[in-house]
Each structure stands twice: as C-alpha cells, then as structure tokens.
Amino acid sequence: AKLVGHFRYYGVTDNSNGIHTFGYCVRRKLFEILNRRSQKKSLTWEGFAKLTDRFPLAKARIYVNIYG
C-alpha cells in the first residue's frame, strides 16, 4: 500500500526514471532485509525473484499525464 501511494503521488509525466529507480531501491532493500533473518546468506537473487513472482510488488507507472 505504501509503494502504491508513493507511485500515485510521484507518478506524473517526466518522472518515470525517478519512480523506477525508487522501485528498484525498494526491491534491493527488501532483499537485504529478508537476507538478515539468519546468520548466513540464505536468499539468492533467483530465490528472491521466485518470491516476488509469488507475492508481487506494485509496478512503477505513470498515473497522471500533466500534458493532456
């Protein structure tokens, strides 16, 4: 819900690079947080991809076109 709210607020024309970068940073931080659950690195990027396929995060997209 927080991610969707951020994309809806900042998802205006000409800000697509910013919201895509923010979405990538959120995914990377979530990967780091899930990896801290044990003493060893238990989650790989492939495992994280399977996890996000099962429980998808919101996609970054433009919600408001300010030119039309």
Side-chain angles (χ1 to χ4, degrees), residues 24-68:
Y24 173 74
C25 290
V26 167
R27 289 180 193 276
R28 191 176 71 206
K29 194 59 158 175
L30 180 62
F31 175 75
E32 290 175 9
I33 289 170
L34 290 176
N35 247 342
R36 292 177 59 188
R37 295 176 54 205
S38 67
Q39 296 296 323
K40 60 182 180 130
K41 301 292 182 190
S42 59
L43 187 63
T44 62
W45 277 108
E46 292 82 20
F48 183 71
K50 288 180 184 177
L51 187 66
T52 55
D53 286 342
R54 175 98 166 117
F55 303 103
L57 295 174
K59 302 286 184 195
R61 71 182 197 101
I62 300 298
Y63 283 92
V64 177
N65 183 2
I66 60 174
Y67 296 122

Side-chain angles (χ1 to χ4, degrees), residues 12-26:
V12 296
T13 308
D14 294 338
N15 197 21
S16 62
N17 285 338
I19 61 173
H20 284 289
T21 302
F22 179 76
Y24 173 74
C25 290
V26 167

